[in-house]
Amino acid sequence: MKVAEKQVEVRYAETDQMGVVYHANYLVWMEIGRAALIEQLGFRYTDMEKEGVIAPVTDLQISYKKPLRYGETATVRTWIESYDGIRVTYAYEILTPDGELAATGKTQHVCVKRDSFRPILIRKYFPDWHEAYERAKK
């Protein structure tokens, strides 16, 4: 199983009135982690998009464990939890500077044609991605 790690500095604008990271910012960090994993596998979303294929989120789960604050550095760990040739589920751990869990989450994506939103078989349209995902998944 391949795990990507990405450091994210907590910016002041990402905090709320309580001085902790606003909950929706974790979703942005999950996207940063997902992009880092895809790049480590040798690909970029933009290459897929140039072919008229996009990968919308179809399901999202997140659980908050411990707050992060302005000035801290979070570590986003991302891996492929499951992959079946059509759907990909990415899993995430967001860690505090001390290595404690701040949040866990999962996002599910389906690759679809941009013009019709009809699902595609990744192994047919992007066989190199398919092989890499098969090797990297949990």
Side-chain angles (χ1 to χ4, degrees):
M1 174 176 78
K2 180 153 190 68
V3 178
E5 287 196 6
K6 186 77 171 172
Q7 304 294 325
V8 178
E9 284 191 43
V10 178
R11 297 167 294 202
Y12 183 77
E14 293 172 318
T15 62
D16 61 17
Q17 192 173 9
M18 295 178 287
V20 299
V21 173
Y22 177 68
H23 70 276
N25 287 308
Y26 289 87
L27 307 179
V28 174
W29 297 351
M30 290 162 65
E31 184 175 332
I32 290 169
R34 188 169 58 253
L37 176 63
I38 290 167
E39 286 182 16
Q40 284 184 17
L41 292 173
F43 308 104
R44 298 179 68 91
Y45 262 135
T46 54
D47 296 335
M48 185 181 280
E49 291 172 348
K50 287 176 189 173
E51 300 294 323
V53 175
I54 56 176
V57 175
T58 59
D59 191 39
L60 165 70
Q61 300 170 7
I62 190 163
S63 179
Y64 302 98
K65 309 290 186 186
K66 191 169 185 125
L68 284 159
R69 299 180 186 330
Y70 169 66
E72 294 182 327
T73 300
T75 301
V76 181
R77 299 181 76 238
T78 309
W79 63 92
I80 298 169
E81 182 73 14
S82 64
Y83 167 72
D84 66 7
I86 296 175
R87 285 174 295 280
V88 181
T89 300
Y90 299 94
Y92 312 87
E93 290 179 340
I94 299 174
L95 307 174
T96 70
D98 297 329
E100 297 179 78
L101 276 178
T104 60
K106 291 182 183 182
T107 58
Q108 183 180 75
H109 303 254
V110 175
C111 289
V112 299
K113 290 297 241 176
R114 179 193 312 270
D115 57 351
S116 66
F117 260 69
R118 295 183 84 69
I120 64 151
L121 291 172
I122 298 170
R123 68 178 170 270
K124 178 180 174 186
Y125 284 83
F126 302 102
D128 48 344
W129 282 56
H130 173 73
E131 290 175 24
Y133 273 50
E134 284 291 340
R135 286 191 306 270
K137 71 182 179 182
K138 185 174 178 180

